[in-house]
Coordinates of all heavy atoms in Angstrom, one line a residue:
L132 N 44.5 7.2 18.1 CA 44.0 7.9 17.0 C 44.2 7.1 15.7 O 45.3 6.5 15.5 CB 44.8 9.2 16.8 CG 44.3 10.2 15.8 CD1 42.9 10.7 16.1 CD2 45.3 11.4 15.6
D133 N 43.1 6.9 15.0 CA 43.1 6.0 13.8 C 43.0 6.8 12.5 O 43.0 6.3 11.4 CB 42.0 5.0 14.0 CG 42.2 3.8 13.0 OD1 43.3 3.3 12.9 OD2 41.2 3.5 12.3
G134 N 42.8 8.1 12.6 CA 42.6 8.9 11.4 C 41.9 10.2 11.8 O 41.3 10.3 12.8
A135 N 41.9 11.2 10.9 CA 41.3 12.5 11.1 C 41.0 13.1 9.7 O 41.7 12.8 8.7 CB 42.1 13.4 11.9
A136 N 39.9 13.8 9.7 CA 39.5 14.5 8.4 C 38.8 15.8 8.8 O 38.3 16.0 9.9 CB 38.6 13.6 7.6
T137 N 38.9 16.7 7.9 CA 38.1 18.0 8.0 C 36.9 17.9 7.2 O 36.9 17.5 6.0 CB 39.0 19.2 7.6 OG1 40.2 19.2 8.4 CG2 38.3 20.5 7.7
A138 N 35.8 18.4 7.8 CA 34.5 18.4 7.1 C 33.8 19.7 7.5 O 33.5 19.9 8.7 CB 33.6 17.2 7.4
G139 N 33.7 20.7 6.6 CA 33.1 21.9 6.9 C 33.9 22.7 8.0 O 35.1 22.8 7.8
D140 N 33.2 23.1 9.0 CA 33.9 23.8 10.1 C 34.3 22.9 11.3 O 34.6 23.4 12.4 CB 33.0 25.0 10.6 CG 31.6 24.5 11.1 OD1 31.4 23.3 11.2 OD2 30.8 25.4 11.5
H141 N 34.4 21.6 11.0 CA 34.8 20.7 12.1 C 35.9 19.7 11.7 O 36.1 19.5 10.5 CB 33.5 19.9 12.6 CG 32.7 20.6 13.6 ND1 32.0 21.8 13.3 CD2 32.5 20.4 14.9 CE1 31.4 22.2 14.4 NE2 31.7 21.4 15.4
R142 N 36.5 19.2 12.7 CA 37.5 18.1 12.5 C 36.9 16.9 13.0 O 36.3 16.8 14.1 CB 38.8 18.5 13.3 CG 40.0 17.7 13.0 CD 40.7 18.1 11.8 NE 42.0 17.4 11.7 CZ 42.4 16.9 10.6 NH1 41.8 17.1 9.5 NH2 43.6 16.2 10.6
I143 N 37.0 15.8 12.3 CA 36.5 14.5 12.7 C 37.7 13.6 13.1 O 38.6 13.4 12.3 CB 35.8 13.8 11.5 CG1 34.6 14.7 11.0 CG2 35.3 12.4 12.0 CD1 34.1 14.2 9.7
L144 N 37.7 13.1 14.3 CA 38.8 12.3 14.8 C 38.3 10.9 15.1 O 37.2 10.7 15.7 CB 39.4 12.8 16.1 CG 40.3 14.0 15.9 CD1 39.6 15.3 15.7 CD2 41.3 14.1 17.1
L145 N 38.9 9.9 14.4 CA 38.6 8.5 14.6 C 39.5 7.9 15.6 O 40.7 8.1 15.5 CB 38.7 7.8 13.2 CG 37.7 8.3 12.2 CD1 38.3 8.0 10.8 CD2 36.4 7.6 12.4
G146 N 39.0 7.0 16.4 CA 39.9 6.3 17.3 C 39.6 4.8 17.3 O 38.5 4.3 17.3
R147 N 40.7 4.0 17.3 CA 40.6 2.6 17.4 C 40.5 2.2 18.9 O 41.5 2.6 19.6 CB 41.7 1.9 16.7 CG 41.6 0.3 16.8 CD 42.7 -0.4 16.1 NE 42.6 -0.2 14.7 CZ 42.2 -1.1 13.8 NH1 41.8 -2.3 14.3 NH2 42.2 -0.9 12.5
V148 N 39.5 1.5 19.3 CA 39.3 1.3 20.7 C 40.3 0.2 21.2 O 40.4 -0.9 20.6 CB 37.9 0.8 21.0 CG1 37.7 0.4 22.5 CG2 36.9 1.8 20.6
L149 N 41.1 0.5 22.2 CA 42.1 -0.4 22.8 C 41.5 -1.1 24.0 O 41.8 -2.2 24.3 CB 43.3 0.4 23.2 CG 44.1 1.1 22.0 CD1 45.3 1.8 22.6 CD2 44.5 0.1 20.9
S150 N 40.7 -0.3 24.8 CA 40.0 -0.9 25.9 C 38.8 -0.1 26.2 O 38.6 1.0 25.7 CB 40.9 -0.9 27.2 OG 41.2 0.4 27.6
A151 N 37.9 -0.7 27.0 CA 36.6 0.0 27.3 C 36.1 -0.6 28.6 O 36.5 -1.7 29.0 CB 35.6 -0.2 26.2
G152 N 35.3 0.2 29.3 CA 34.7 -0.3 30.6 C 33.4 0.4 31.0 O 33.3 1.6 30.7

Side-chain angles (χ1 to χ4, degrees):
L132 187 65
D133 195 48
T137 299
D140 59 1
H141 275 67
R142 189 85 172 138
I143 303 164
L144 281 79
L145 295 155
R147 181 177 292 256
V148 178
L149 302 177
S150 67

